[in-house]
Amino acid sequence: MFVTTTVYLLLALLASLVLAFPATNLIETRSTITSVPPSTVTALTIYGQFSRASYCPPTQTSSWTCGQACSALPGFVPYLAGGDEGPTPYYYVGYWPTKNTAVVVHQGRAPYYLESVLDDLEITLSTLDSTLFPGLSSSIQVHTGFASVQALTATAILAAVNKILSGHSTTKVTVIGHSLGAAVAMIDMVYLHLHLPSSTSLKFVGHGTPRVGNQAFADYVDATFSDVTRINHAEDPIPIVPGLSGGYHHVSGEVHILDDNTWIACAGQDNPSRECSTGDVPTVLNGNLIDHLGPYNGVWIGPMYCT
């Protein structure tokens, strides 16, 4: 386990150093910082189990036999599981009866295959494919590598989600992910919004989410979706990459877990408060990659925690 963890963190550091620009020249003033109530912390913690399960192979998520994460989510019904942990990171789709929602989950960085790391290194911004994202303004741009990963599974995921919505008479979809998987999940949310009925309610929960797109993308997400939560742990450096000086901006909805395990809600985009990720980790050199794995209120997320 030590060797696996070391490889994971070294490759993640390589990706972070190439991606990062110092988080300086912040364009926003400090916004309101509020404590997250214990009941909300408890409600959000369960989503970490979905992200944890995303690192398990499709043979396990398709049968929902992925150890502690699956045991923490009894009754979940998988509909689709795939990926190769390389060019196509693991993903799965299913029905969660507890919340009466379709769930789409994407895996984060898989250190065993160089392709997944290279996806993160592709830092250019580009417009989204008009076939997958019809009607979006050309001013909306996202990380080219993240978009290319999302495109690999988009239509299969949409078909599975449609099957769940019709089969369970629900209008709710929840997209979840960790690290790279959170970025892909956020793009998935936009994609699903454009292809599902207008009555569909979409929810996003990301763990250690990097910046996904430019200011126009962040503004579009903020204006379109009302239930977006980005959970970041302590001095995790991944949420500050790619850098602000590269044209990237976070969407709103950050919840920052402080060193004493206090959960703080950080209003606005890239809140510069020292109690929020952008202010707490001004450069990747100020970060701690172990924090990227958690714990998220006791839940650790990464390839070594598929047990």
Side-chain angles (χ1 to χ4, degrees):
M1 178 180 292
F2 175 77
V3 173
T4 301
T5 304
T6 301
V7 171
Y8 180 87
L9 296 177
L10 287 175
L11 288 174
L13 176 61
L14 172 63
S16 299
L17 289 173
V18 174
L19 284 168
F21 300 89
T24 56
N25 301 319
L26 297 173
I27 64 172
E28 296 179 354
T29 58
R30 176 170 176 163
S31 301
T32 302
I33 308 298
T34 57
S35 296
V36 177
S39 59
T40 302
V41 172
T42 299
L44 287 172
T45 298
I46 193 64
Y47 294 94
Q49 300 291 1
F50 280 111
S51 282
R52 178 173 178 168
S54 71
Y55 285 90
C56 300
T59 53
Q60 294 183 23
T61 50
S62 63
S63 58
W64 210 237
T65 55
C66 57
Q68 294 180 24
C70 288
S71 296
L73 296 160
F76 181 77
V77 182
Y79 272 64
L80 174 69
D84 54 19
E85 209 179 19
T88 306
Y90 293 155
Y91 64 96
Y92 64 92
V93 183
Y95 175 66
W96 188 20
T98 301
K99 298 293 185 180
N100 190 30
T101 181
V103 176
V104 178
V105 190
H106 288 276
Q107 180 196 29
R109 287 188 181 92
Y112 319 110
Y113 295 94
L114 182 60
E115 293 96 331
S116 64
V117 177
L118 293 178
D119 287 331
D120 291 356
L121 300 181
E122 197 172 348
I123 63 173
T124 57
L125 285 161
S126 60
T127 56
L128 288 159
D129 184 336
S130 60
T131 301
L132 294 177
F133 299 86
L136 280 189
S137 168
S138 60
S139 66
I140 295 173
Q141 297 184 318
V142 301
H143 182 288
T144 302
F146 297 162
S148 66
V149 173
Q150 187 273 337
L152 294 173
T153 60
T155 56
I157 285 174
L158 175 61
V161 168
N162 271 319
K163 187 174 181 180
I164 293 169
L165 297 184
S166 61
H168 295 277
S169 299
T170 182
T171 59
K172 297 193 293 185
V173 180
T174 305
V175 292
I176 305 167
H178 172 249
S179 193
L180 164 66
V184 174
M186 186 174 290
I187 299 173
D188 249 359
M189 177 174 64
V190 175
Y191 168 74
L192 293 170
H193 168 72
L194 296 173
H195 292 274
L196 293 173
S198 59
S199 59
T200 306
S201 171
L202 284 138
K203 176 185 182 72
F204 170 89
V205 181
H207 300 89
T209 311
R211 295 187 179 101
V212 178
N214 65 356
Q215 184 71 70
F217 174 81
D219 291 344
Y220 173 83
V221 171
D222 283 0
T224 306
F225 306 100
S226 61
D227 197 348
V228 172
T229 305
R230 301 185 291 105
I231 306 173
N232 301 322
H233 179 250
E235 282 72 53
D236 178 1
I238 301 304
I240 70 159
V241 298
L244 290 167
S245 60
Y248 286 85
H249 292 271
H250 265 306
V251 305
S252 299
E254 180 187 7
V255 171
H256 190 209
I257 306 173
L258 305 182
D259 292 335
D260 63 359
N261 203 40
T262 299
W263 289 44
I264 300 295
C266 300
Q269 301 171 352
D270 283 296
N271 192 312
S273 167
R274 287 296 303 272
E275 291 185 298
C276 304
S277 287
T278 298
D280 191 27
V281 190
T283 74
V284 294
L285 298 179
N286 301 105
N288 179 0
L289 277 166
I290 292 292
D291 289 339
H292 188 52
L293 307 178
Y296 299 86
N297 197 33
V299 179
W300 292 87
I301 304 173
M304 64 290 297
Y305 302 113
C306 179
T307 57

